[in-house]
Amino acid sequence: MKVLVPVKRVVDYNVKVRVKSDGTGVDIANVKMSMNPFDEIAIEEAVRLKEKGVALEVIAVSCGVLQCQETLRTAMAIGADRAILVETAEELQPLAVAKLLKALVEKEQPQLVILGKQAIDDDCNQIGQMLAALLGWPQATFASKVEMADGKVLVTREVDGGLETLALTLPAIITTDLRLNEPRYVTLPNIMKAKKKQLDNFKPEDLGVDVTPRIKTLKVSEPPKRSAGVKVADVAALVDKLKNEAKVI
């Protein structure tokens, strides 16, 4: 079985995001970038499937600027066999990425696509669902456990009421949640090995996909600063403020 894992280059989760002074977007100049944490979990799960003998090959895919190669090298250091970069300087929106991935799925013919449920920069949570719709494949989102049994993939997913287990017929799409696994630490020898692994480069036009943005960002602004809290003398004063000032009861 071949597994395709899309990964995204995002601002590192430890970095405090700054908005550009003109409000056109997020400032990423001289900012540490890393792999989207949910995608890191997806790569780890795909590599574990390979280590169990279920998967034969794991392919990492990224769409974006040339620097995304660094993210792909990290994916290969974790255990991906090879990588594909769809290079473009255009602002990529979820539908465009889903179309690019659809073209790569048709080219590579994987039996399973595992990707993070969302990216921590835009929080869209759309690409997995869009890709499943474009391909007509079954999907299981927010996976907290993945198992293979009788030619099907069993996915335990987190829902509001608890846990739900789905049996998907391959080929299928899975999006990962935080509790699926804990990604391994990338060792220096594996980082060196990743430099020698195959990394193919394509352009959107090579795949016949138009990535022109359909949505225009009008303004990006930081959230307002929270006002200081207020101490109350007793429960009666608290109830009074909740009822008459906050008007939440």
Side-chain angles (χ1 to χ4, degrees):
M1 182 174 73
K2 187 186 291 188
V3 183
L4 191 78
V5 185
V7 296
K8 186 177 184 181
R9 178 177 180 261
V10 298
V11 175
D12 190 86
Y13 66 92
N14 287 313
V15 174
K16 187 182 186 306
V17 175
R18 300 190 307 272
V19 175
K20 292 180 180 178
S21 57
D22 58 2
T24 57
V26 173
D27 186 6
I28 59 172
N30 302 315
V31 170
K32 182 184 177 184
M33 308 292 283
S34 62
M35 186 189 301
N36 178 46
F38 290 104
D39 297 339
E40 198 171 357
I41 291 169
I43 278 284
E44 174 67 27
E45 192 64 26
V47 172
R48 290 187 185 188
L49 289 175
K50 184 186 173 187
E51 290 171 345
K52 291 176 184 176
V54 176
L56 296 176
E57 185 180 30
V58 177
I59 307 166
V61 177
S62 192
C63 306
V65 294
L66 188 62
Q67 289 88 337
C68 290
Q69 287 185 352
E70 300 167 12
T71 307
L72 290 171
R73 293 292 179 196
T74 301
M76 289 190 284
I78 292 172
D81 298 288
R82 58 188 175 94
I84 299 172
L85 171 62
V86 182
E87 185 186 346
T88 176
E90 193 74 69
E91 178 196 351
L92 291 175
Q93 294 173 351
L95 183 58
V97 175
K99 287 181 177 179
L100 290 171
L101 293 177
K102 175 179 180 286
L104 288 173
V105 166
E106 291 171 347
K107 179 181 176 61
E108 293 290 341
Q109 295 293 309
Q111 286 71 53
L112 189 62
V113 178
I114 306 178
L115 64 162
K117 69 172 184 177
Q118 66 194 74
I120 61 171
D121 53 0
D122 55 21
D123 274 337
C124 282
N125 183 14
Q126 294 176 343
I127 293 175
Q129 294 87 330
M130 286 179 170
L131 181 59
L134 291 172
L135 291 169
W137 286 11
Q139 61 174 309
T141 55
F142 317 137
S144 60
K145 187 177 181 181
V146 175
E147 296 175 303
M148 298 297 296
D150 302 323
K152 293 188 176 182
V153 55
L154 302 179
V155 180
T156 302
R157 60 189 300 266
E158 299 183 358
V159 294
D160 291 340
L163 298 176
E164 176 183 66
T165 302
L166 303 177
L168 305 182
T169 304
L170 297 175
I173 291 172
I174 297 172
T175 71
T176 63
D177 214 332
L178 277 175
R179 281 161 287 281
L180 178 59
N181 62 52
E182 185 174 340
R184 68 194 67 188
Y185 178 75
V186 180
T187 61
L188 183 59
N190 286 337
I191 293 173
M192 300 307 292
K193 289 177 185 176
K195 293 181 179 180
K196 297 180 181 179
K197 291 184 179 180
Q198 179 183 344
L199 198 162
D200 298 320
N201 199 312
F202 293 98
K203 301 284 187 183
E205 49 268 27
D206 298 333
L207 301 172
V209 178
D210 179 16
V211 295
T212 304
R214 295 165 176 258
I215 301 170
K216 182 180 179 181
T217 302
L218 300 179
K219 185 181 179 183
V220 178
S221 59
E222 292 190 10
K225 291 184 178 180
R226 295 178 63 179
S227 56
V230 178
K231 286 186 178 182
V232 293
D234 49 36
V235 175
L238 174 62
V239 172
D240 178 67
K241 284 186 175 293
L242 290 174
K243 185 176 181 180
N244 299 314
E245 290 185 21
K247 297 187 184 299
V248 293
I249 60 173

